[in-house]
Amino acid sequence: MLSYAFQTLNQGNYDDLAVESFDEMYDLLAAILAKGIGIQLKQGLYREYINRQEELPVMRGKINMPGTIKNRLAHELLLTCDFDELSENNLLNQILKTTVMLLLKNAKVKAEYKDDLKKKMGLSYEELAYEIIGEFFDDIDNKSLKEAINEAYNKKFFVREEKNFLELYHGPTSAFKDAALLFLPQIMKAAKKKENINEEIVILTATSGDTGKAALNGFSNVDGFKVVVYYPEKGVSQIQQKQMVTQEGNNVKVIGIRGNFDNAQSGVKTIFGDNKLKNKLKENGFLLSSANSINIGRLIPQIVYYFYGYFDLVNKKKIKEGDEINVVVPTGNFGNILAAYYGKRMGLPIGKLICSSNENNVLTDFLNTGLYDKRRELILTESPSMDILISSNLERLLFE
């Protein structure tokens, strides 16, 4: 295994790096440490950009780790490191801990899904959601996770494939976001209880139309939560606006802004980045969270319906198990198509992921040219949920 690890590092084959046992894991780590690691840490997602490079004293020489593994490692370190107390020694510990986690997670996903898809063909939507979501939220006990899923979906939401279209609008708000925003309040309640969080959690959400109503509906009258939705007053459809402003509940607030969705989303991110404000809110018994897909708890449940739709095609004998399908996704903030990408990484036989845009085709241009240029006028169209120039979830794909 040690020679294989050296060969893998020398060839730069980082995308398929995986291990099947702890012995292999430690051998691979030994090879990485023996080669030496040059790593650049970026903390620019949530605070100002910080670029720093550490050469660890226990290592001889230094290499740069290009590609997927380096990006994943840097991203996970970004989320787990206390940068205010960073030193060479605890950086080494963080690299070891994070590398172990990434390698095991990669191996686990490959083993669970590529070799075990057939067993999941006949599961209900709730059962399939438990299998998939449980791979990510493994710090929630099985009983609580099942209860959250059943409370979210049972008799409230279903998915149907019709003429090769995946119908995702069979929920209380008729938006595909119901698939995630019925589940998110339930899993956040379970996590809040598990972590003994006494503060009220304020859900800040920017919407281009569909997320807002789904978030308001999902969190309405849920104890321990408040939800505030910002929407562009001239950037959503009349139906979407009426859906939001008529939402009942003693813990909901809807605010129309003069601007577009990008302005609303940037404003929410600015609030999340204001540490003084967050500390003041905490002193008064409030914590902030989001129902946008910047919250990974909003994104993970969307993986489920891609598996369910594929299995439905197989069960209807429209395709054979193992056949690849192409997935076309109308895209604005890149969350829905990113969920399909995660499904593909988990073993779902997806060939091409086709990003469909409207006149605000910043993503189409990026995928065709490699240049992301938001310096253009936002065009108001008949598909307001796609009227977006700053696609937050694209950053997640780039880290992958």
Side-chain angles (χ1 to χ4, degrees), residues 180 292-293 295-304 334-336 338-339 342 393 396:
N292 288 106
S293 49
N295 184 338
I296 195 67
R298 224 297 304 278
L299 189 60
I300 296 302
Q302 293 179 238
I303 300 172
V304 179
F334 210 75
N336 196 358
L338 184 64
Y342 287 155
N393 286 291
R396 280 199 171 107

Side-chain angles (χ1 to χ4, degrees), residues 9 29 52 59 90 125 136 158 203 223 234 236-237 256 322 335:
L9 291 173
L29 280 175
R52 61 186 299 170
M59 301 178 184
N90 64 31
Y125 192 87
F136 296 90
F158 69 91
I203 306 296
D223 289 341
K234 295 183 179 180
V236 299
S237 70

Side-chain angles (χ1 to χ4, degrees), residues 120-364:
K120 297 175 174 58
M121 290 286 179
L123 297 183
S124 68
Y125 192 87
E126 291 84 357
E127 291 169 334
L128 186 60
Y130 173 75
E131 293 290 329
I132 293 174
I133 295 173
E135 289 298 310
F136 296 90
F137 297 153
D138 53 5
D139 52 346
I140 300 293
D141 66 87
N142 294 342
K143 181 175 181 292
S144 297
L145 182 59
K146 286 182 179 180
E147 289 176 352
I149 290 171
N150 289 331
E151 179 65 25
Y153 299 129
N154 191 23
K155 297 181 180 180
K156 297 178 183 177
F157 177 80
F158 69 91
V159 174
R160 182 172 63 192
E161 179 277 327
E162 190 69 34
K163 296 181 179 179
N164 292 337
F165 283 87
L166 194 59
E167 295 181 355
L168 301 174
Y169 50 79
H170 299 291
T173 76
S174 300
F176 78 94
K177 302 292 178 62
D178 286 329
L181 287 170
L182 287 169
F183 171 76
L184 184 62
Q186 305 306 322
I187 199 64
M188 288 188 73
K189 277 199 307 182
K192 189 173 186 287
K193 180 179 179 181
K194 178 179 181 295
E195 298 299 322
N196 296 315
I197 296 174
N198 297 316
E199 293 90 348
E200 277 200 290
I201 297 177
V202 181
I203 306 296
L204 294 184
T205 299
T207 186
S208 55
D210 46 9
T211 296
K213 174 59 179 179
L216 291 163
N217 177 78
F219 282 97
S220 175
N221 294 325
V222 176
D223 289 341
F225 293 85
K226 296 182 183 296
V227 57
V228 181
V229 170
Y230 300 91
Y231 73 94
E233 60 179 359
K234 295 183 179 180
V236 299
S237 70
Q238 288 185 355
I239 291 176
Q240 289 170 328
Q241 184 181 34
K242 288 179 179 178
Q243 276 188 312
M244 289 186 284
V245 300
T246 59
Q247 174 65 50
E248 296 180 349
N250 58 17
N251 63 338
V252 300
K253 182 73 174 177
V254 183
I255 301 171
I257 70 163
R258 296 185 183 93
N260 55 42
F261 170 77
D262 292 329
N263 300 136
Q265 182 168 243
S266 296
V268 168
K269 289 181 178 180
T270 299
I271 293 172
F272 281 121
D274 190 334
N275 290 325
K276 289 184 179 180
L277 175 61
K278 288 191 293 186
N279 290 335
K280 186 69 173 177
L281 288 171
K282 188 171 184 179
E283 290 173 5
N284 288 275
F286 298 102
L287 298 177
L288 296 180
S289 187
S290 178
N292 288 106
S293 49
I294 57 175
N295 184 338
I296 195 67
R298 224 297 304 278
L299 189 60
I300 296 302
Q302 293 179 238
I303 300 172
V304 179
Y305 52 70
Y306 285 106
F307 277 90
Y308 189 83
Y310 181 86
F311 294 163
D312 198 20
L313 288 171
V314 174
N315 292 332
K316 291 177 179 177
K317 302 188 185 305
K318 291 187 176 182
I319 61 173
K320 296 179 182 178
E321 190 275 322
D323 285 352
E324 284 194 349
I325 61 170
N326 296 330
V327 177
V328 182
V329 185
T331 304
N333 213 23
F334 210 75
N336 196 358
I337 196 169
L338 184 64
Y341 170 77
Y342 287 155
K344 177 180 173 69
R345 291 295 304 269
M346 293 172 72
L348 190 61
I350 293 176
K352 293 182 179 179
L353 292 163
I354 302 170
C355 174
S356 174
S357 298
N358 61 12
E359 288 92 328
N360 298 292
N361 56 352
V362 62
L363 284 169
T364 304

